[in-house]
mmCIF file of all heavy atoms in Angstrom:
data_model
loop_
_atom_site.group_PDB
_atom_site.id
_atom_site.type_symbol
_atom_site.label_atom_id
_atom_site.label_comp_id
_atom_site.label_asym_id
_atom_site.label_seq_id
_atom_site.Cartn_x
_atom_site.Cartn_y
_atom_site.Cartn_z
ATOM 1 N N SER A 1 -33.908 -47.899 18.484
ATOM 2 C CA SER A 1 -33.038 -46.726 18.411
ATOM 3 C C SER A 1 -32.019 -46.851 17.283
ATOM 4 O O SER A 1 -31.745 -47.945 16.778
ATOM 5 C CB SER A 1 -32.288 -46.551 19.732
ATOM 6 O OG SER A 1 -31.362 -47.607 19.901
ATOM 7 N N SER A 2 -31.458 -45.717 16.923
ATOM 8 C CA SER A 2 -30.405 -45.724 15.905
ATOM 9 C C SER A 2 -29.156 -46.430 16.425
ATOM 10 O O SER A 2 -28.397 -47.009 15.650
ATOM 11 C CB SER A 2 -30.074 -44.293 15.466
ATOM 12 O OG SER A 2 -29.696 -43.516 16.576
ATOM 13 N N ALA A 3 -28.965 -46.425 17.747
ATOM 14 C CA ALA A 3 -27.825 -47.139 18.340
ATOM 15 C C ALA A 3 -27.976 -48.649 18.135
ATOM 16 O O ALA A 3 -26.997 -49.340 17.801
ATOM 17 C CB ALA A 3 -27.713 -46.818 19.821
ATOM 18 N N SER A 4 -29.188 -49.147 18.293
ATOM 19 C CA SER A 4 -29.438 -50.574 18.047
ATOM 20 C C SER A 4 -29.239 -50.902 16.578
ATOM 21 O O SER A 4 -28.687 -51.949 16.234
ATOM 22 C CB SER A 4 -30.861 -50.959 18.470
ATOM 23 O OG SER A 4 -31.007 -50.847 19.863
ATOM 24 N N MET A 5 -29.676 -50.013 15.706
ATOM 25 C CA MET A 5 -29.497 -50.222 14.275
ATOM 26 C C MET A 5 -28.012 -50.245 13.919
ATOM 27 O O MET A 5 -27.579 -51.040 13.085
ATOM 28 C CB MET A 5 -30.227 -49.135 13.486
ATOM 29 C CG MET A 5 -30.216 -49.352 11.994
ATOM 30 S SD MET A 5 -30.924 -50.918 11.443
ATOM 31 C CE MET A 5 -32.630 -50.674 11.822
ATOM 32 N N ALA A 6 -27.229 -49.384 14.583
ATOM 33 C CA ALA A 6 -25.785 -49.363 14.344
ATOM 34 C C ALA A 6 -25.151 -50.688 14.763
ATOM 35 O O ALA A 6 -24.271 -51.211 14.070
ATOM 36 C CB ALA A 6 -25.146 -48.201 15.090
ATOM 37 N N LYS A 7 -25.604 -51.250 15.883
ATOM 38 C CA LYS A 7 -25.092 -52.546 16.327
ATOM 39 C C LYS A 7 -25.422 -53.628 15.312
ATOM 40 O O LYS A 7 -24.596 -54.488 15.017
ATOM 41 C CB LYS A 7 -25.684 -52.931 17.690
ATOM 42 C CG LYS A 7 -25.066 -52.231 18.853
ATOM 43 C CD LYS A 7 -25.627 -52.778 20.147
ATOM 44 C CE LYS A 7 -24.896 -52.218 21.338
ATOM 45 N NZ LYS A 7 -25.360 -52.841 22.590
ATOM 46 N N LEU A 8 -26.627 -53.593 14.784
ATOM 47 C CA LEU A 8 -27.015 -54.563 13.763
ATOM 48 C C LEU A 8 -26.132 -54.428 12.525
ATOM 49 O O LEU A 8 -25.718 -55.425 11.936
ATOM 50 C CB LEU A 8 -28.486 -54.374 13.374
ATOM 51 C CG LEU A 8 -29.523 -54.743 14.429
ATOM 52 C CD1 LEU A 8 -30.890 -54.207 14.038
ATOM 53 C CD2 LEU A 8 -29.579 -56.241 14.638
ATOM 54 N N GLY A 9 -25.839 -53.197 12.164
ATOM 55 C CA GLY A 9 -24.997 -52.939 10.998
ATOM 56 C C GLY A 9 -23.581 -53.463 11.156
ATOM 57 O O GLY A 9 -22.914 -53.772 10.168
ATOM 58 N N LYS A 10 -23.143 -53.596 12.403
ATOM 59 C CA LYS A 10 -21.799 -54.106 12.688
ATOM 60 C C LYS A 10 -21.820 -55.586 13.064
ATOM 61 O O LYS A 10 -20.809 -56.122 13.516
ATOM 62 C CB LYS A 10 -21.173 -53.307 13.837
ATOM 63 C CG LYS A 10 -20.967 -51.850 13.518
ATOM 64 C CD LYS A 10 -20.451 -51.110 14.736
ATOM 65 C CE LYS A 10 -20.395 -49.615 14.497
ATOM 66 N NZ LYS A 10 -20.033 -48.899 15.731
ATOM 67 N N ASN A 11 -22.975 -56.236 12.876
ATOM 68 C CA ASN A 11 -23.161 -57.639 13.246
ATOM 69 C C ASN A 11 -22.834 -57.896 14.712
ATOM 70 O O ASN A 11 -22.309 -58.953 15.071
ATOM 71 C CB ASN A 11 -22.345 -58.573 12.345
ATOM 72 C CG ASN A 11 -22.916 -58.665 10.953
ATOM 73 O OD1 ASN A 11 -24.126 -58.598 10.760
ATOM 74 N ND2 ASN A 11 -22.052 -58.806 9.976
ATOM 75 N N GLU A 12 -23.157 -56.931 15.564
ATOM 76 C CA GLU A 12 -22.942 -57.085 16.996
ATOM 77 C C GLU A 12 -24.198 -57.666 17.644
ATOM 78 O O GLU A 12 -25.282 -57.635 17.066
ATOM 79 C CB GLU A 12 -22.608 -55.734 17.636
ATOM 80 C CG GLU A 12 -21.283 -55.159 17.175
ATOM 81 C CD GLU A 12 -20.980 -53.812 17.800
ATOM 82 O OE1 GLU A 12 -21.815 -53.285 18.565
ATOM 83 O OE2 GLU A 12 -19.903 -53.272 17.510
ATOM 84 N N ASN A 13 -24.039 -58.174 18.855
ATOM 85 C CA ASN A 13 -25.179 -58.727 19.578
ATOM 86 C C ASN A 13 -26.136 -57.616 20.007
ATOM 87 O O ASN A 13 -25.695 -56.551 20.418
ATOM 88 C CB ASN A 13 -24.701 -59.479 20.819
ATOM 89 C CG ASN A 13 -23.922 -60.719 20.474
ATOM 90 O OD1 ASN A 13 -24.126 -61.318 19.432
ATOM 91 N ND2 ASN A 13 -23.024 -61.105 21.355
ATOM 92 N N VAL A 14 -27.420 -57.905 19.872
ATOM 93 C CA VAL A 14 -28.457 -56.995 20.357
ATOM 94 C C VAL A 14 -29.414 -57.788 21.238
ATOM 95 O O VAL A 14 -29.480 -59.017 21.168
ATOM 96 C CB VAL A 14 -29.238 -56.316 19.206
ATOM 97 C CG1 VAL A 14 -28.356 -55.390 18.408
ATOM 98 C CG2 VAL A 14 -29.896 -57.330 18.308
ATOM 99 N N ASN A 15 -30.165 -57.091 22.041
ATOM 100 C CA ASN A 15 -31.146 -57.700 22.928
ATOM 101 C C ASN A 15 -32.182 -58.458 22.100
ATOM 102 O O ASN A 15 -32.582 -58.011 21.027
ATOM 103 C CB ASN A 15 -31.804 -56.568 23.736
ATOM 104 C CG ASN A 15 -32.642 -57.073 24.865
ATOM 105 O OD1 ASN A 15 -33.489 -57.933 24.673
ATOM 106 N ND2 ASN A 15 -32.414 -56.521 26.045
ATOM 107 N N THR A 16 -32.649 -59.576 22.633
ATOM 108 C CA THR A 16 -33.657 -60.348 21.904
ATOM 109 C C THR A 16 -34.953 -59.565 21.720
ATOM 110 O O THR A 16 -35.679 -59.795 20.748
ATOM 111 C CB THR A 16 -33.965 -61.685 22.618
ATOM 112 O OG1 THR A 16 -34.273 -61.430 23.983
ATOM 113 C CG2 THR A 16 -32.790 -62.631 22.519
ATOM 114 N N ASP A 17 -35.228 -58.605 22.599
ATOM 115 C CA ASP A 17 -36.407 -57.754 22.443
ATOM 116 C C ASP A 17 -36.336 -56.977 21.126
ATOM 117 O O ASP A 17 -37.349 -56.804 20.443
ATOM 118 C CB ASP A 17 -36.519 -56.788 23.627
ATOM 119 C CG ASP A 17 -37.729 -55.882 23.519
ATOM 120 O OD1 ASP A 17 -38.854 -56.426 23.370
ATOM 121 O OD2 ASP A 17 -37.564 -54.652 23.563
ATOM 122 N N ILE A 18 -35.145 -56.546 20.762
ATOM 123 C CA ILE A 18 -34.960 -55.824 19.494
ATOM 124 C C ILE A 18 -35.278 -56.743 18.316
ATOM 125 O O ILE A 18 -35.975 -56.349 17.370
ATOM 126 C CB ILE A 18 -33.506 -55.294 19.372
ATOM 127 C CG1 ILE A 18 -33.149 -54.378 20.543
ATOM 128 C CG2 ILE A 18 -33.275 -54.627 18.028
ATOM 129 C CD1 ILE A 18 -33.953 -53.124 20.634
ATOM 130 N N ILE A 19 -34.787 -57.973 18.390
ATOM 131 C CA ILE A 19 -35.044 -58.946 17.322
ATOM 132 C C ILE A 19 -36.540 -59.209 17.194
ATOM 133 O O ILE A 19 -37.084 -59.246 16.082
ATOM 134 C CB ILE A 19 -34.288 -60.275 17.598
ATOM 135 C CG1 ILE A 19 -32.775 -60.036 17.687
ATOM 136 C CG2 ILE A 19 -34.622 -61.328 16.549
ATOM 137 C CD1 ILE A 19 -32.144 -59.506 16.443
ATOM 138 N N VAL A 20 -37.219 -59.365 18.314
ATOM 139 C CA VAL A 20 -38.669 -59.615 18.307
ATOM 140 C C VAL A 20 -39.410 -58.436 17.689
ATOM 141 O O VAL A 20 -40.317 -58.619 16.866
ATOM 142 C CB VAL A 20 -39.191 -59.909 19.732
ATOM 143 C CG1 VAL A 20 -40.708 -59.921 19.780
ATOM 144 C CG2 VAL A 20 -38.626 -61.222 20.241
ATOM 145 N N ARG A 21 -39.038 -57.220 18.059
ATOM 146 C CA ARG A 21 -39.698 -56.024 17.488
ATOM 147 C C ARG A 21 -39.517 -55.956 15.976
ATOM 148 O O ARG A 21 -40.445 -55.610 15.247
ATOM 149 C CB ARG A 21 -39.128 -54.760 18.119
ATOM 150 C CG ARG A 21 -39.557 -54.530 19.532
ATOM 151 C CD ARG A 21 -39.120 -53.156 19.941
ATOM 152 N NE ARG A 21 -38.926 -53.049 21.366
ATOM 153 C CZ ARG A 21 -38.484 -51.975 21.977
ATOM 154 N NH1 ARG A 21 -38.160 -50.905 21.268
ATOM 155 N NH2 ARG A 21 -38.345 -51.935 23.268
ATOM 156 N N ILE A 22 -38.305 -56.271 15.512
ATOM 157 C CA ILE A 22 -38.041 -56.256 14.068
ATOM 158 C C ILE A 22 -38.896 -57.303 13.373
ATOM 159 O O ILE A 22 -39.510 -57.028 12.335
ATOM 160 C CB ILE A 22 -36.541 -56.485 13.792
ATOM 161 C CG1 ILE A 22 -35.738 -55.271 14.248
ATOM 162 C CG2 ILE A 22 -36.300 -56.772 12.306
ATOM 163 C CD1 ILE A 22 -34.234 -55.470 14.229
ATOM 164 N N CYS A 23 -38.953 -58.503 13.934
ATOM 165 C CA CYS A 23 -39.752 -59.567 13.329
ATOM 166 C C CYS A 23 -41.236 -59.210 13.287
ATOM 167 O O CYS A 23 -41.916 -59.481 12.296
ATOM 168 C CB CYS A 23 -39.543 -60.875 14.079
ATOM 169 S SG CYS A 23 -37.919 -61.607 13.817
ATOM 170 N N GLN A 24 -41.733 -58.580 14.344
ATOM 171 C CA GLN A 24 -43.130 -58.160 14.353
ATOM 172 C C GLN A 24 -43.387 -57.084 13.299
ATOM 173 O O GLN A 24 -44.389 -57.128 12.591
ATOM 174 C CB GLN A 24 -43.524 -57.644 15.735
ATOM 175 C CG GLN A 24 -43.632 -58.737 16.768
ATOM 176 C CD GLN A 24 -43.888 -58.212 18.166
ATOM 177 O OE1 GLN A 24 -43.556 -57.069 18.488
ATOM 178 N NE2 GLN A 24 -44.453 -59.047 19.018
ATOM 179 N N ALA A 25 -42.475 -56.127 13.189
ATOM 180 C CA ALA A 25 -42.652 -55.036 12.230
ATOM 181 C C ALA A 25 -42.605 -55.547 10.788
ATOM 182 O O ALA A 25 -43.359 -55.071 9.934
ATOM 183 C CB ALA A 25 -41.578 -53.971 12.446
ATOM 184 N N LEU A 26 -41.731 -56.520 10.530
ATOM 185 C CA LEU A 26 -41.575 -57.037 9.169
ATOM 186 C C LEU A 26 -42.420 -58.282 8.919
ATOM 187 O O LEU A 26 -42.403 -58.817 7.808
ATOM 188 C CB LEU A 26 -40.099 -57.356 8.898
ATOM 189 C CG LEU A 26 -39.144 -56.169 8.929
ATOM 190 C CD1 LEU A 26 -37.712 -56.642 8.738
ATOM 191 C CD2 LEU A 26 -39.519 -55.141 7.875
ATOM 192 N N GLN A 27 -43.144 -58.728 9.944
ATOM 193 C CA GLN A 27 -43.988 -59.916 9.861
ATOM 194 C C GLN A 27 -43.191 -61.105 9.336
ATOM 195 O O GLN A 27 -43.509 -61.702 8.303
ATOM 196 C CB GLN A 27 -45.221 -59.660 8.998
ATOM 197 C CG GLN A 27 -46.101 -58.582 9.565
ATOM 198 C CD GLN A 27 -47.297 -58.273 8.690
ATOM 199 O OE1 GLN A 27 -47.305 -58.565 7.503
ATOM 200 N NE2 GLN A 27 -48.311 -57.675 9.287
ATOM 201 N N CYS A 28 -42.109 -61.419 10.059
ATOM 202 C CA CYS A 28 -41.240 -62.509 9.654
ATOM 203 C C CYS A 28 -40.754 -63.264 10.887
ATOM 204 O O CYS A 28 -41.124 -62.943 12.010
ATOM 205 C CB CYS A 28 -40.062 -61.975 8.847
ATOM 206 S SG CYS A 28 -38.940 -60.926 9.797
ATOM 207 N N ASP A 29 -39.928 -64.255 10.673
ATOM 208 C CA ASP A 29 -39.354 -65.069 11.735
ATOM 209 C C ASP A 29 -37.886 -64.686 11.929
ATOM 210 O O ASP A 29 -37.280 -64.084 11.031
ATOM 211 C CB ASP A 29 -39.473 -66.547 11.356
ATOM 212 C CG ASP A 29 -39.140 -67.464 12.504
ATOM 213 O OD1 ASP A 29 -39.685 -67.288 13.604
ATOM 214 O OD2 ASP A 29 -38.321 -68.375 12.297
ATOM 215 N N THR A 30 -37.320 -65.062 13.054
ATOM 216 C CA THR A 30 -35.914 -64.725 13.321
ATOM 217 C C THR A 30 -34.983 -65.290 12.252
ATOM 218 O O THR A 30 -33.999 -64.660 11.894
ATOM 219 C CB THR A 30 -35.463 -65.227 14.699
ATOM 220 O OG1 THR A 30 -35.706 -66.625 14.795
ATOM 221 C CG2 THR A 30 -36.204 -64.507 15.817
ATOM 222 N N SER A 31 -35.296 -66.462 11.736
ATOM 223 C CA SER A 31 -34.442 -67.066 10.709
ATOM 224 C C SER A 31 -34.481 -66.292 9.391
ATOM 225 O O SER A 31 -33.619 -66.488 8.535
ATOM 226 C CB SER A 31 -34.838 -68.523 10.469
ATOM 227 O OG SER A 31 -36.162 -68.603 9.987
ATOM 228 N N ASP A 32 -35.468 -65.405 9.241
ATOM 229 C CA ASP A 32 -35.568 -64.581 8.034
ATOM 230 C C ASP A 32 -34.661 -63.359 8.091
ATOM 231 O O ASP A 32 -34.424 -62.720 7.061
ATOM 232 C CB ASP A 32 -37.007 -64.105 7.818
ATOM 233 C CG ASP A 32 -37.967 -65.247 7.564
ATOM 234 O OD1 ASP A 32 -37.559 -66.236 6.928
ATOM 235 O OD2 ASP A 32 -39.135 -65.151 8.002
ATOM 236 N N ILE A 33 -34.145 -63.029 9.289
ATOM 237 C CA ILE A 33 -33.351 -61.804 9.411
ATOM 238 C C ILE A 33 -31.937 -62.025 9.920
ATOM 239 O O ILE A 33 -31.109 -61.127 9.850
ATOM 240 C CB ILE A 33 -34.047 -60.758 10.315
ATOM 241 C CG1 ILE A 33 -34.173 -61.262 11.747
ATOM 242 C CG2 ILE A 33 -35.388 -60.351 9.728
ATOM 243 C CD1 ILE A 33 -34.586 -60.190 12.734
#
């Protein structure tokens, strides 16, 4: 969601599920983002 993206933009904590989805979409590891 755009709300999750806003949290990322503010360097706020997000659910690990969000991090996993981003890594899958970008084909990268958590340390890459």
Side-chain angles (χ1 to χ4, degrees):
S1 68
S2 57
S4 294
M5 186 58 69
K7 282 185 173 185
L8 291 167
K10 297 175 187 174
N11 288 326
E12 294 179 358
N13 293 332
V14 294
N15 191 309
T16 52
D17 180 55
I18 302 297
I19 301 298
V20 170
R21 287 189 206 177
I22 291 171
C23 289
Q24 288 174 335
L26 296 176
Q27 298 177 339
C28 66
D29 191 51
T30 55
S31 62
D32 296 325
I33 64 168

